[in-house]
Amino acid sequence: MQAIGRNMIAPLMLIHAVLPGMKERRFGRIVNITSRWWTTPRPHMTVSSGGARRLRRDEGLSLEVASHNVTINNLLPERFDTDRQHQMA
């Protein structure tokens, strides 16, 4: 539940908190940095893969707010040289 809160719920709450002000100012930039695992889900990465639904929702939201000069972009970084990546490889 903590991982879901951090990876899925917290970003949604943040977007909903800042979006009204961005729309009112007619300018805003939202950049989500998330896991690449949503494009290639794996059973052991279910929380990271679950972000796919959030990203799809953000795509729809971006169409809604584009007329207010607000953009929503998602960055999906590849691997970083960490002990975890060595373990998974």
Side-chain angles (χ1 to χ4, degrees), residues 11 15-16 18 21-22 24 26-27 33 46-47 52 56-57 60 65 70-71 74 78-79 84:
I15 289 170
H16 283 284
V18 300
M22 290 180 173
E24 184 179 314
R26 301 201 51 78
F27 181 82
I33 303 172
T46 54
V47 172
R56 290 289 181 220
R57 186 202 146 275
V65 298
V70 176
T71 62
N74 298 308
E78 260 296 328
R79 294 185 175 143
R84 171 103 169 125

Side-chain angles (χ1 to χ4, degrees), residues 33-46:
I33 303 172
T34 188
S35 171
R36 74 169 186 95
W37 288 107
W38 81 270
T39 60
T40 52
R42 299 288 184 263
H44 61 284
M45 300 298 288
T46 54

Side-chain angles (χ1 to χ4, degrees), residues 12 15-16 19 52-62 72:
L12 288 174
I15 289 170
H16 283 284
L19 206 50
R53 288 199 176 114
R54 191 189 90 225
L55 295 178
R56 290 289 181 220
R57 186 202 146 275
D58 290 348
E59 282 181 46
L61 184 59
S62 70
I72 301 175

